[in-house]
Amino acid sequence: MKYASLGNRFLSTLIDGVIDTLVMVLVFGCAFIPLAIFTTALSDGNNSSNRSFDIGTLVMILDSCLLFIAVFAYTYARYIYLPAKNNGQTWGQKTMKVKMVTKEGHHIPSQGSLFVRYLVLQLLGIISLIGLLINEESKQTIHDIAAQTIVLEA
C-alpha cells in the first residue's frame, strides 16, 4: 500500500474546487437569470402593485427551493454517490491518481463512510484542506479518521 502524498491530495482538492466553482456559477446563473427576467417583466416601473410583489415573491421562493435541491443533489452525487460507484475517486482524485479506500486498504468506502468524511471535511473547513495530518504514518487527516478511510495512490 502506497499512501498518497500530501501534495497530490491538495492538488486533487484544488481540482475538485475549480470544478465545483464552475458548476455552481452555472447553477446560480441558471437560477437567477430567469428570476431577474421575470421580475423585470412584471415591474412597470411602479413598485406599488401588490400583485407583482406577490408573484415575484412566490417565484423567488420556488427558485430558491429549486436552487437548494440542485446544489444538494450535485453535492451528494459528486462527493458521495459517484466516488462510491467509481473506484473511490472524485474527478480531482482521478486526475491526480489517488483514491479513497477503507482503513484496511482493500475496499471502496460505503456511501455512509463517504458522507461522514465529507461532513467532517466541511465542518473543519480550511484546516483539513491544508492537510492537518493526525497520523503521519498513514497520512490520515481528521476526516479520514472519522470515516475510517485512507487515501492511496491509484
Side-chain angles (χ1 to χ4, degrees), residues 56-96:
T57 302
L58 178 63
V59 169
M60 187 179 296
I61 290 169
L62 291 174
D63 195 52
S64 297
C65 290
L66 290 174
L67 183 62
F68 174 79
I69 291 167
V71 170
F72 178 81
Y74 171 78
T75 302
Y76 170 76
R78 179 93 162 78
Y79 289 99
I80 299 168
Y81 179 77
L82 291 175
K85 299 297 180 197
N86 293 324
N87 202 31
Q89 295 173 301
T90 64
W91 294 324
Q93 289 171 330
K94 190 172 191 96
T95 302
M96 295 308 301

Side-chain angles (χ1 to χ4, degrees), residues 20-38:
D20 291 346
T21 299
L22 294 173
V23 169
M24 288 302 131
V25 165
L26 181 65
V27 167
F28 278 85
C30 289
F32 289 117
I33 290 172
L35 179 63
I37 292 169
F38 182 78

Side-chain angles (χ1 to χ4, degrees), residues 57-143:
T57 302
L58 178 63
V59 169
M60 187 179 296
I61 290 169
L62 291 174
D63 195 52
S64 297
C65 290
L66 290 174
L67 183 62
F68 174 79
I69 291 167
V71 170
F72 178 81
Y74 171 78
T75 302
Y76 170 76
R78 179 93 162 78
Y79 289 99
I80 299 168
Y81 179 77
L82 291 175
K85 299 297 180 197
N86 293 324
N87 202 31
Q89 295 173 301
T90 64
W91 294 324
Q93 289 171 330
K94 190 172 191 96
T95 302
M96 295 308 301
K97 296 180 175 45
V98 298
K99 66 180 180 178
M100 298 172 281
V101 295
T102 58
K103 191 167 63 172
E104 296 79 25
H106 303 294
H107 302 288
I108 296 169
S110 67
Q111 287 187 31
S113 289
L114 291 170
F115 174 77
V116 169
R117 187 177 191 277
Y118 181 76
L119 183 65
V120 172
L121 176 63
Q122 294 308 304
L123 292 174
L124 292 175
I126 194 69
I127 293 171
S128 290
L129 288 179
I130 61 173
L132 181 62
L133 296 177
I134 299 302
N135 186 336
E136 187 63 39
E137 180 184 328
S138 63
K139 298 190 184 331
Q140 285 180 293
T141 57
I142 295 171
H143 57 281

Side-chain angles (χ1 to χ4, degrees), residues 3-56:
Y3 298 110
S5 71
L6 185 58
N8 282 349
R9 292 183 68 159
F10 175 78
L11 288 174
S12 70
T13 301
L14 185 64
I15 291 167
D16 284 332
V18 168
I19 293 168
D20 291 346
T21 299
L22 294 173
V23 169
M24 288 302 131
V25 165
L26 181 65
V27 167
F28 278 85
C30 289
F32 289 117
I33 290 172
L35 179 63
I37 292 169
F38 182 78
T39 53
T40 302
L42 284 177
S43 174
D44 58 1
N46 182 356
N47 290 333
S48 64
S49 171
N50 286 336
R51 183 169 180 252
S52 66
F53 175 77
D54 291 341
I55 293 172

